[in-house]
């Protein structure tokens, strides 16, 4: 099928007419006013509420990935997707409806009929929680997790990839002190992950902050950058940024900006034989160990993880995610309709899809890594699993394999 004839399921499962109209209306505004509106709606005014804030529980689980070099920190915070119902307006799957429930159970059947029964209970729990919850974070009902990565560089300095909030005197605060290294680098793996950046920068004001222009605009809107700009802006690197990037490279750190990614402005990073990513990896390829291994079974076995399980299965529904590419329909739509109103536009004549395909191809063919770590998956992938999964998600960009 020719690229121009492929709608990727958007006609049936794309965003609602109201969302499409809103985006078009924003596009009609003068560029300066449009930018102000987008920045105002996305600026990081407050960080997520976590399980310590509401329940006084430790929100961190710290695991060593590479001995004495890389650690994963799983952070448990409010569930704005399932429990606080943002999922309803975000994607085409409402667990309260018959059609939504059917799609969820169909997706769960991929893992066996016994898993379907688990999801039936999860849907019942979802309805129960909605009937009793108030307007707060409601962390007593469940939480969602996101990952930060701590990297010890060859200089003994520390780098934080997609940092999370650090509570005073917490297990994470103590761990960072025990590492006996200065937090010298803060890397935003995605310009969509900025909510915790202000508090982290305030804690480590001398750290070099690395990211893309979209993140810089959002952070400056709340006066979160000590020097009023990123120290390394991968979208437009100045002389100082060139020097700092060279310093990182000499320490074994390579940065890969995914140009053309108009939503997240993803920034992958390679160090210690490991690749780090945020907001680019979605449904993994079918033979990935996260699908066939122990991690998926533990997710189904823990009743307390009902909302995390429901969120995962919803994202695998045919009404939400294109089954061929394992990518949510909204991601396709963004590459068509959001490009014209992007905060950081491409040069005239550039096709975001082809530009992004070239960026991803560069990472997969040039980066050297045996494992990959994701901000949205606690499962550590092998290098080959990551490459195959990214290729599955994004090869549609120019209808050619990225490998």
């Amino acid at each position: 099928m020719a690229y121009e004839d492929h709608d990727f399921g958007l006609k049936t499962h794309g965003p609602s007419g109201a969302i499409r109209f809103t985006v078009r209306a924003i596009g009609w505004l003068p560029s300066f006013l449009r930018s102000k509106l987008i920045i105002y709606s996305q600026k990081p005014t407050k960080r997520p509420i976590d399980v310590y804030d509401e329940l006084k529980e430790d929100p961190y689980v710290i695991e060593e990935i590479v001995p004495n070099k890389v650690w994963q920190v799983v952070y448990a915070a409010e569930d704005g997707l399932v429990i606080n119902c943002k999922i309803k307006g975000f994607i085409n799957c409402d667990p309260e409806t018959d059609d939504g429930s059917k799609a969820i159970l169909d997706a769960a059947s991929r893992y066996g009929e016994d898993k379907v029964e688990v999801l039936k209970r999860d849907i019942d729990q979802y309805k129960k929680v909605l009937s009793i919850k108030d307007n707060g974070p409601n962390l007593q009902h469940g939480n969602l997790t996101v990952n930060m990565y701590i990297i010890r560089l060859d200089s003994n300095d520390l780098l934080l990839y997609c940092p999370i909030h650090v509570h005073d005197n917490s297990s994470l605060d103590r761990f960072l002190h025990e590492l006996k290294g200065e937090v010298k680098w803060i890397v935003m793996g995605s310009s969509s992950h900025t909510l915790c950046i202000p508090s982290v920068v305030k804690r480590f004001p001398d750290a070099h902050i690395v990211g893309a222009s979209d993140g810089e605009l959002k952070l400056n809107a709340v006066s979160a950058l000590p020097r009023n700009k990123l120290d390394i802006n991968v979208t437009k690197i100045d002389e100082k940024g060139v020097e700092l990037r060279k310093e990182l490279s000499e320490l074994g750190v390579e940065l890969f900006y995914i140009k053309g990614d108009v939503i997240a402005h993803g920034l992958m990073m390679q160090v210690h034989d490991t690749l780090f990513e945020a907001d680019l990896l979605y449904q993994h390829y079918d033979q990935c160990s996260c699908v066939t291994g122990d991690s998926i079974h533990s997710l189904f076995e823990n009743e307390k993880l009902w909302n995390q399980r429901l969120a995962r299965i919803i994202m695998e529904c045919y009404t939400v995610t294109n089954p061929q590419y394992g990518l949510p329909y909204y991601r396709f739509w963004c590459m068509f309709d959001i490009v014209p109103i992007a905060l950081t536009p491409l040069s005239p004549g550039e096709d975001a899809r082809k530009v992004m395909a070239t960026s991803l191809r560069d990472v997969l063919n040039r980066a050297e890594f045996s494992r990959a770590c994701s901000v949205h998956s606690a499962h550590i992938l092998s290098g080959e699993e990551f490459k195959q999964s990214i290729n599955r998600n994004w090869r549609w960009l120019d209808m050619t394999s990225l490998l």
Side-chain angles (χ1 to χ4, degrees):
M1 181 180 290
Y3 185 91
E4 295 78 7
D5 298 328
H6 205 318
D7 81 341
F8 305 105
L10 292 178
K11 290 180 180 178
T12 306
H13 304 298
S16 67
I19 292 177
R20 288 177 183 268
F21 176 79
T22 300
V23 169
R24 291 194 184 100
I26 293 173
W28 296 331
L29 296 172
S31 60
F32 77 93
L33 187 58
R34 181 172 66 237
S35 295
K36 284 187 176 182
L37 178 62
I38 295 172
I39 294 169
Y40 179 81
S41 66
Q42 297 182 7
K43 63 182 181 180
T45 53
K46 63 177 182 179
R47 65 171 178 82
I49 302 301
D50 59 43
V51 297
Y52 179 79
D53 294 312
E54 186 168 295
L55 306 176
K56 300 307 176 187
E57 296 176 359
D58 188 353
Y60 314 112
V61 176
I62 304 170
E63 182 178 353
E64 190 174 60
I65 304 300
V66 180
N68 204 35
K69 292 183 178 180
V70 178
W71 296 266
Q72 178 190 73
V73 184
V74 181
Y75 178 55
E78 59 186 302
D79 175 5
L81 193 61
V82 174
I83 293 177
N84 286 349
C85 298
K86 290 183 181 178
I87 204 163
K88 286 187 176 182
F90 186 56
I91 55 179
N92 297 320
C93 187
D94 183 351
E96 289 192 287
T97 67
D98 291 341
D99 288 344
S101 293
K102 180 180 183 303
I104 292 168
L105 298 179
D106 284 348
S109 67
R110 171 190 186 195
Y111 301 103
E113 288 305 312
D114 57 325
K115 306 303 188 291
V116 173
E117 297 303 314
V118 174
L119 265 295
K120 286 181 180 178
R121 295 196 294 272
D122 292 342
I123 292 171
D124 289 340
Q125 178 68 7
Y126 172 82
K127 295 175 180 178
K128 177 181 177 182
V129 168
L130 289 193
S131 70
I132 62 176
K133 78 177 191 68
D134 55 29
N135 293 323
N138 296 283
L139 282 154
Q140 71 270 26
H141 301 306
N143 60 73
L144 282 185
T145 60
V146 67
N147 307 318
M148 172 181 82
Y149 293 93
I150 304 171
I151 296 93
R152 187 197 297 278
L153 302 179
D154 292 342
S155 60
N156 202 47
D157 293 321
L158 303 178
L159 181 154
L160 307 181
Y161 183 83
C162 285
I164 55 178
H165 179 68
V166 183
H167 286 281
D168 291 337
N169 302 314
S170 64
S171 61
L172 178 56
D173 187 22
R174 293 191 297 273
F175 182 75
L176 287 169
H177 280 95
E178 289 167 3
L179 289 178
K180 300 185 184 303
E182 177 189 358
V183 175
K184 190 174 179 179
W185 304 91
I186 293 171
V187 177
M188 291 191 292
S190 165
S191 289
S192 296
H193 281 253
T194 60
L195 292 178
C196 291
I197 298 293
S199 72
V200 175
V201 171
K202 187 175 181 179
R203 179 176 285 268
F204 306 111
D206 296 327
H208 299 306
I209 308 166
V210 185
S213 289
D214 273 39
E216 182 178 89
L217 290 167
K218 296 173 188 177
L219 292 169
N220 269 333
V222 293
S223 302
L225 296 175
R227 294 164 288 283
N228 300 315
K229 67 174 186 175
L230 297 172
D231 297 292
I232 300 180
N233 184 332
V234 292
T235 315
K236 49 178 183 181
I237 300 181
D238 58 16
E239 184 176 347
K240 180 64 175 177
V242 170
E243 294 176 5
L244 290 173
R245 192 161 184 171
K246 181 181 179 182
E247 182 180 343
L248 272 180
S249 183
E250 291 173 349
L251 291 170
V253 180
E254 296 298 333
L255 302 173
F256 296 91
Y257 171 54
I258 308 304
K259 186 178 180 181
D261 177 12
V262 296
I263 293 299
H265 291 271
L267 178 56
M268 294 191 196
M269 183 183 75
Q270 172 200 318
V271 62
H272 297 322
D273 197 28
T274 306
L275 192 73
F276 300 86
E277 75 81 33
D279 293 347
L280 287 163
L281 185 64
Y282 289 85
Q283 195 170 323
H284 301 181
Y285 87 118
D286 289 341
Q287 299 306 310
C288 182
S289 58
C290 73
V291 178
T292 59
D294 294 336
S295 61
I296 186 63
H297 297 295
S298 62
L299 177 64
F300 277 104
E301 291 169 358
N302 191 336
E303 289 295 322
K304 292 182 179 180
L305 301 181
W306 70 271
N307 62 309
Q308 296 183 28
R309 187 165 50 239
L310 187 57
R312 170 165 176 160
I313 298 302
I314 285 175
M315 293 306 293
E316 296 182 8
C317 290
Y318 64 87
T319 58
V320 175
T321 292
N322 181 295
Q324 180 179 0
Y325 298 105
L327 192 70
Y329 295 111
Y330 75 85
R331 266 306 218 158
F332 293 95
W333 173 69
C334 289
M335 296 303 294
F336 290 94
D337 287 14
I338 299 297
V339 171
I341 65 169
L343 280 176
T344 309
L346 296 173
S347 300
E350 284 189 306
D351 185 324
R353 288 155 289 181
K354 293 180 180 179
V355 170
M356 185 173 176
T358 299
S359 295
L360 289 172
R361 216 170 258 122
D362 178 57
V363 178
L364 299 182
N365 292 319
R366 190 159 62 89
E368 298 179 359
F369 57 99
S370 65
R371 71 186 69 82
C373 297
S374 174
V375 166
H376 287 295
S377 173
H379 185 80
I380 308 302
L381 278 69
S382 70
E384 185 61 23
E385 287 175 334
F386 178 81
K387 291 178 180 181
Q388 293 292 341
S389 296
I390 284 287
N391 185 52
R392 180 195 181 189
N393 295 159
W394 295 103
R395 68 181 187 272
W396 66 275
L397 287 166
D398 60 3
M399 304 305 286
T400 306
S401 173
L402 299 173
L403 301 177

